Amino acid sequence: MFPLRPCWSCCSYFCLFLFFSLQVQGVPKDPGAAPEQVHLSYPDEPGSMTVTWTTWVPTRSEVQFGMQLSGPLPLRARGMVSPFVDGGLLRRKLYIHRVTLRGLLPGIQYVYRCGSSRGWSRRFRFRALKNGPHWSPRLAVFGDLGTDNPKALPRLRRDTQQGMYDAVLHVGDFAYNMDQDNARVGDEFMRLIEPVAASLPYMTCPGNHEERYNFSNYKARFSMPGDNEGLWYSWDLGPAHIISFSTEVYFFLHYGRHLVERQFHWLERDLQKANKNRAARPWIITMGHRPMYCSNADVDDCTWHESKVRKGLFGKLFGLEDLFYKYGVDLQFWAHEHSYERLWPIYNYQVFNGSQEMPYTNPRGPVHIITGSAGCEERLTRFTLFPRPWSAVRVKEYGYTRLHILNGTHIHIQQVSDDQDGKIVDDVWVVRPLLDRMLYL
């Protein structure tokens, strides 16, 4: 018997083949440099889109993009990387990359990948938002989506793949919670939403589950317009001006009471500007996490007559209901309650329907929609046995909301039930003549 001797030349050829095959397949040279958690946001600049992603080592931040589905990506954009240290015991460090693409042609589909020479993401696709007010955006709207029990997500992914939406509004509460397990739950959640968020601008507002370490995971992971770390901002989309704000400044006062006042004055200035622009963008839509009203069977703030978001601190300071009514906010989206509820047009507990036959045609108060049933570990929230006189529709099923801003006078709202295999369980049109908006100018 002769001992087997290794064939070093064969090993060398095999290793060389393996090395080149890995490079061809795009496997990163350094796994820590591989981009993950890719998502988009709209920076409120026509013809632009921001790409955000995470790596585990510092690398350059580059996006390669183009219009062809295959072949080389001829366009380049570079951006910045920022280290983020989670507040947990392990002090885990992530590197958050942000690159804004500019000069995009409205309504055109782009293919992109992000990363650096040390590792690239796979290719994703998105459609650049159209410019100006004269088009009809379609959005998915929901809150309270967790890493565990994300019931609505598979259907949202299918909708996104079919091109049903132009943007997503996530009305607070992510992952449950992004800071958990030294922020690993946040990582898992961002990977989970990537098939949706890497294809559509994923616009957010903070909820109570983002509070840990002064909302640090929320502020670091998302890239919203403005200079308030995504806590409050606004942007224009078709015939609508959309305002995102933080209800949480009213509850976590140890981070600074001045935030309540700062946000309130910012909101008033923004609403004043939006009203001066009503001729171009007639609709004003807000999104904030904790509702002013709800008819759920719990002790949340919205079940109290003098809720903090509605009436402000101590029942009189910086309340939002009077402010939003004064400036004619048309539609208000909320979450927090793990259910769906549509209210009659309301102000100060009084119903202000347009008419008995057509309550949402020329309504004399704002329309409130609570859509927090996308699915999380806390399951659904029960309603009180009897609905309140201002509550129009209540649905205790998993699902999400579709919003179609048809034009300057018509908005279409539908609630999709995931429990009933995508059945539409609420369907309403909000109609406001343009002349009605002139009252606020």
Side-chain angles (χ1 to χ4, degrees):
M1 296 289 295
F2 296 96
L4 290 173
R5 297 172 183 249
C7 177
W8 297 113
S9 59
C10 293
C11 288
S12 300
Y13 283 126
F14 175 75
C15 291
L16 201 60
F17 170 77
L18 185 63
F19 172 79
F20 280 114
S21 65
L22 288 175
Q23 294 303 303
V24 168
Q25 292 171 36
V27 175
K29 300 169 188 174
D30 179 355
E36 59 173 74
Q37 307 173 38
V38 180
H39 55 286
L40 301 176
S41 57
Y42 178 60
D44 198 30
E45 299 173 24
S48 65
M49 193 73 75
T50 297
V51 185
T52 305
W53 71 93
T54 296
T55 60
W56 305 102
V57 295
T59 68
R60 295 181 72 174
S61 307
E62 182 176 320
V63 175
Q64 299 177 349
F65 62 109
M67 300 180 201
Q68 301 300 322
L69 291 178
S70 58
L73 299 171
L75 304 173
R76 303 281 188 276
R78 291 201 173 117
M80 302 290 293
V81 59
S82 305
F84 166 60
V85 179
D86 174 60
L89 280 174
L90 297 184
R91 310 292 291 177
R92 289 176 71 238
K93 182 181 281 190
L94 296 69
Y95 292 89
I96 311 292
H97 302 257
R98 292 177 172 86
V99 176
T100 297
L101 315 183
R102 293 184 170 88
L104 302 174
L105 299 176
I108 297 299
Q109 180 177 267
Y110 286 87
V111 179
Y112 74 97
R113 69 174 187 171
C114 57
S116 70
S117 59
R118 297 173 63 185
W120 293 98
S121 72
R122 70 177 182 87
R123 293 186 177 207
F124 299 97
R125 288 184 280 178
F126 73 89
R127 192 170 296 278
L129 295 178
K130 296 178 183 177
N131 297 339
H134 302 298
W135 64 289
S136 304
R138 297 175 183 268
L139 301 94
V141 188
F142 55 86
D144 302 79
L145 180 67
T147 303
D148 180 37
N149 192 39
K151 288 284 190 178
L153 194 55
R155 195 173 304 280
L156 282 164
R157 289 177 61 167
R158 290 196 294 272
D159 287 358
T160 300
Q161 289 164 1
Q162 293 168 14
M164 290 183 63
Y165 307 119
D166 299 292
V168 167
L169 304 182
H170 188 143
V171 194
D173 278 7
F174 307 78
Y176 286 74
N177 297 337
M178 287 196 286
D179 65 274
Q180 289 290 310
D181 191 16
N182 293 281
R184 291 188 182 94
V185 172
D187 296 331
E188 184 181 350
F189 178 79
M190 299 305 292
R191 294 184 197 109
L192 199 64
I193 65 168
E194 187 182 76
V196 174
S199 304
L200 297 169
Y202 199 94
M203 310 302 284
T204 62
C205 74
N208 55 296
H209 280 270
E210 285 68 73
E211 174 268 336
R212 199 76 183 275
Y213 316 124
N214 196 6
F215 299 86
S216 63
N217 269 270
Y218 172 83
K219 293 173 180 177
R221 292 177 186 270
F222 294 107
S223 307
M224 296 300 113
D227 55 3
N228 297 299
E229 300 181 292
L231 296 179
W232 57 84
Y233 62 91
S234 65
W235 56 300
D236 293 328
L237 184 70
H241 181 69
I242 301 175
I243 301 171
S244 173
F245 66 96
S246 172
T247 57
E248 304 315 298
V249 296
Y250 290 88
F251 297 90
F252 299 106
L253 297 175
H254 53 285
Y255 293 130
R257 294 190 179 206
H258 67 285
L259 293 173
V260 179
E261 186 173 0
R262 264 185 61 201
Q263 176 177 255
F264 183 89
H265 291 314
W266 177 90
L267 282 168
E268 182 154 38
R269 290 192 301 271
D270 193 76
L271 286 165
Q272 288 169 348
K273 284 192 288 184
N275 272 290
K276 289 177 182 176
N277 198 35
R278 285 271 195 180
R281 302 191 194 271
W283 296 103
I284 298 179
I285 299 170
T286 62
M287 57 186 269
H289 184 61
R290 301 199 207 201
M292 295 184 189
Y293 302 87
C294 68
S295 65
N296 295 90
D298 54 32
V299 292
D300 286 346
D301 183 61
C302 53
T303 65
W304 296 86
H305 192 274
E306 305 293 294
S307 63
K308 287 183 182 178
V309 177
R310 191 174 81 85
K311 297 300 288 182
L313 300 180
F314 311 111
K316 59 184 179 181
L317 295 175
F318 310 115
L320 295 180
E321 184 174 44
D322 287 347
L323 181 73
F324 288 177
Y325 184 75
K326 176 182 177 181
Y327 290 102
V329 171
D330 299 289
L331 182 58
Q332 301 178 24
F333 283 106
W334 312 94
H336 193 59
E337 303 303 316
H338 301 164
S339 52
Y340 171 83
E341 186 167 16
R342 167 168 56 86
L343 309 191
W344 299 116
I346 187 173
Y347 171 67
N348 196 26
Y349 282 93
Q350 288 187 279
V351 172
F352 284 99
N353 290 348
S355 66
Q356 187 171 349
E357 297 80 18
M358 295 183 291
Y360 295 96
T361 296
N362 199 19
R364 293 169 295 134
V367 177
H368 293 242
I369 302 287
I370 302 164
T371 175
S373 61
C376 66
E377 64 186 31
E378 294 180 358
R379 305 313 196 241
L380 295 170
T381 309
R382 292 184 302 111
F383 287 106
T384 56
L385 184 58
F386 300 107
R388 305 289 188 250
W390 34 262
S391 180
V393 172
R394 308 192 302 176
V395 179
K396 187 193 166 191
E397 294 176 1
Y398 290 110
Y400 54 95
T401 305
R402 290 176 180 154
L403 170 66
H404 184 196
I405 310 169
L406 185 68
N407 53 36
T409 58
H410 289 67
I411 280 181
H412 191 200
I413 301 163
Q414 295 179 313
Q415 180 66 8
V416 180
S417 170
D418 201 68
D419 290 3
Q420 299 190 55
D421 197 29
K423 180 181 177 182
I424 304 300
V425 290
D426 188 33
D427 194 314
V428 65
W429 286 87
V430 181
V431 181
R432 296 201 72 153
L434 288 174
L435 285 174
D436 185 47
R437 273 47 174 273
M438 300 302 109
L439 296 172
Y440 299 104
L441 297 180

